[in-house]
Amino acid sequence: MLLAKVHVSLKPTVNDPQGLTIARALGRLGFDSVDSVRAGKYFEVKIEGNDRATAESEVKLMCEKLLANPVIETFIYELETI
Amino acid sequence: MLLAKVHVSLKPTVNDPQGLTIARALGRLGFDSVDSVRAGKYFEVKIEGNDRATAESEVKLMCEKLLANPVIETFIYELETI
C-alpha cells in the first residue's frame, strides 16, 4: 500500500481571503509576530499496490482532475510506502 | 523571518465525509486503485523574527486556539528559516 501526501496551495499571486482572515484573527488573539498566513488543503490518499511509478503518475492526474484547480492552485505530493 | 508549516488533520477515529466524497469521486473518474482519502488543512504562517523557541511555542498556541479544533483534529508543524 502506498500513501500519497498531497499539498494544494493557492498560487502566490492569487488573493487568499481565508489566509488574510486567519492572520487578522491571530493578531486579535495577541500573536503580534504573525506576518502573513496562506491557507491550503492537505490530502492523504491511500493507494493499493506498490507500483510507485504508476501511483506517481496517477496522483499527478488526480490533482489535475479533481484535487486542485490548476488555474489558481499549485500542488506538490510525495509517496510513502505504508 | 520564520515559516511555520502547519498540518491539521481529523483524528483517525473521526468520520471524514469530505474524504469519503473525494474517494468516491476519484473512483468514478477511473482511479480504481484509490483505497481511501483523508482531507485536512494546510497553513503557512510567516512569523517575524528568528527566535525559534518562542515561535515554536506560539505556533503551538495558535493551533490550539484557532487553527485546529483539538476535540476532533490533530496538528503537526515544522519551522523553517526563510
Side-chain angles (χ1 to χ4, degrees):
Chain A
M1 186 92 84
L2 292 163
L3 177 69
K5 296 182 170 182
V6 181
H7 291 86
V8 178
S9 305
L10 286 168
K11 289 182 181 173
T13 51
V14 176
N15 194 27
D16 177 7
Q18 191 189 355
L20 291 172
T21 304
I22 293 169
R24 272 200 301 269
L26 288 172
R28 275 198 304 274
L29 287 172
F31 297 106
D32 302 323
S33 56
V34 171
D35 179 73
S36 65
V37 177
R38 299 287 287 177
K41 286 170 283 184
Y42 173 62
F43 302 104
E44 289 190 344
V45 184
K46 277 191 192 159
I47 297 169
E48 283 158 15
N50 282 303
D51 182 348
R52 290 183 79 91
T54 310
E56 190 110 12
S57 62
E58 283 214 316
V59 172
K60 188 164 178 285
L61 262 178
M62 288 178 207
C63 291
E64 289 166 353
K65 284 192 172 177
L66 187 77
L67 300 180
N69 176 353
V71 179
I72 55 167
E73 291 173 326
T74 57
F75 57 86
I76 51 170
Y77 56 88
E78 50 195 278
L79 279 177
E80 269 177 25
T81 305
I82 52 171
Chain B
M1 187 91 84
L2 293 164
L3 178 68
K5 296 181 168 180
V6 181
H7 292 87
V8 178
S9 305
L10 285 170
K11 290 183 182 173
T13 51
V14 176
N15 194 26
D16 178 7
Q18 191 188 354
L20 291 172
T21 305
I22 293 170
R24 273 199 300 269
L26 288 171
R28 276 198 302 274
L29 286 171
F31 296 105
D32 302 323
S33 57
V34 171
D35 177 74
S36 66
V37 177
R38 297 287 287 178
K41 289 172 279 183
Y42 173 62
F43 302 103
E44 290 190 342
V45 183
K46 278 189 191 161
I47 297 169
E48 284 158 13
N50 282 303
D51 182 349
R52 289 183 79 91
T54 310
E56 189 108 11
S57 61
E58 283 213 314
V59 172
K60 189 165 178 283
L61 263 178
M62 286 176 208
C63 291
E64 290 167 351
K65 284 192 172 177
L66 188 77
L67 300 179
N69 175 353
V71 178
I72 56 168
E73 292 173 326
T74 57
F75 57 86
I76 51 169
Y77 57 87
E78 49 195 280
L79 279 176
E80 268 177 24
T81 305
I82 52 170

